[in-house]
Amino acid sequence: MAKLILGKDVSAEIYAELRTRIDALKSKGTVPGLAVVLVGDDPASQVYVRKKGEMCEELGMKSVIVCMPADTTQEQLMAKVDELNNDPTIHGFLVQLPLPSHLDEEAVINAIDPKKDVDCFHPSNVGRVLIGDPDFLPATPAGVQQMLIRSGTETSGKHVVVVGRSNIVGKPMAAMMVQKGVGADSTVTVVHSRTKDLPSITRQADILIVAIGKPRFIKADMVKEGAVVIDVGTNRVEDPTHPKGSRLVGDVDFEEVEKVASAITPVPGGVGPMTICMLMANAVKAAEKASGGKI
Ligand code: GUN
């Protein structure tokens, strides 16, 4: 049976390190501040935003949650971004996506000061990840990389196959794993919905990172014996045996694949907790940079 790599355990280690860094900032008079802007009343977004605020407070950081109505205009939202760009007590902020359809997400992301862009969505930060000189790393891929490093998974010279090519996971994940350095130095292949004979490629992976958004897409016969399998997917599927009538599953068929993998992340409990953790790490890094301290 495969070893489980749990986001709860890996994030606990990182939170302990962040607390030390936050204490050091506070002793120099800087309270790291993170703001989250929520436009409209999408229930899933409300939950995510609340969790981000709660984690800030648990770590002793300043948390600001800005709730704007669903009929907010582009000008009003841009004015809020401008205000946060210029607020010295806010070291990092993000605008929760998706935005209501009348708003231009790209224009909003482009307006965020790259130094405060803790999501790492601004094109200049995305470019810096690609050239290997990042200020911030995007939270979910950074969380995956930390899980590999802290589980003792060798990445140097290994074949990493990334399944999925989204801007927030697949593409930055591939860019990060191909860099020089710890938790990287891999040979990287990206496969996606248009790839021919995808299983013949996933079977070559020493490390398989799956973010394709299809429930239980990866089956045992698509995985090499002994591979490390990281499942970024979270899909809600109907399950009448469950009290809610549904449950969360990943993009990997866990029950099958755990029999062939050497290590695997479950869903829930795998990558999930890492995303907020790495967002907090980016906020602390932004505060350190703003206070002229260590990077
Ligand atoms: N919506 C879902 N995930 C994210 C995220 O990581 N950042 C932002 N801004 N919105 C999201």
Side-chain angles (χ1 to χ4, degrees), residues 45 48 52 94-98 119 121 139-140 168 275:
S45 291
Y48 293 138
K52 290 169 188 176
L94 62 93
V95 178
Q96 187 69 22
L97 304 178
D119 260 337
F121 286 175
T140 302
I168 64 170
T275 300

Side-chain angles (χ1 to χ4, degrees), residues 154-218:
E154 178 62 79
T155 57
S156 177
K158 300 296 179 186
H159 188 187
V160 171
V161 176
V162 178
V163 184
R165 54 175 163 177
S166 71
N167 285 337
I168 64 170
V169 185
K171 280 192 262 184
M173 189 80 246
M176 287 162 59
M177 296 309 294
V178 82
Q179 301 299 328
K180 293 181 178 172
V182 175
D185 279 323
S186 306
T187 302
V188 180
T189 304
V190 181
V191 297
H192 49 77
S193 56
R194 298 297 177 98
T195 297
K196 292 202 168 65
D197 196 6
L198 183 145
S200 72
I201 302 170
T202 57
R203 271 196 295 273
Q204 295 172 39
D206 301 307
I207 299 169
L208 185 62
I209 302 174
V210 192
I212 198 166
K214 295 182 183 167
R216 289 177 288 214
F217 176 76
I218 298 290

Side-chain angles (χ1 to χ4, degrees), residues 13-45:
E13 271 183 44
I14 295 171
Y15 283 128
E17 294 162 13
L18 289 180
R19 283 178 197 277
T20 307
R21 289 164 61 187
I22 292 165
D23 285 348
L25 279 164
K26 284 180 164 174
S27 71
K28 289 189 291 174
T30 300
V31 180
L34 175 70
V36 180
V37 180
L38 174 62
V39 184
D41 35 40
D42 176 62
S45 291

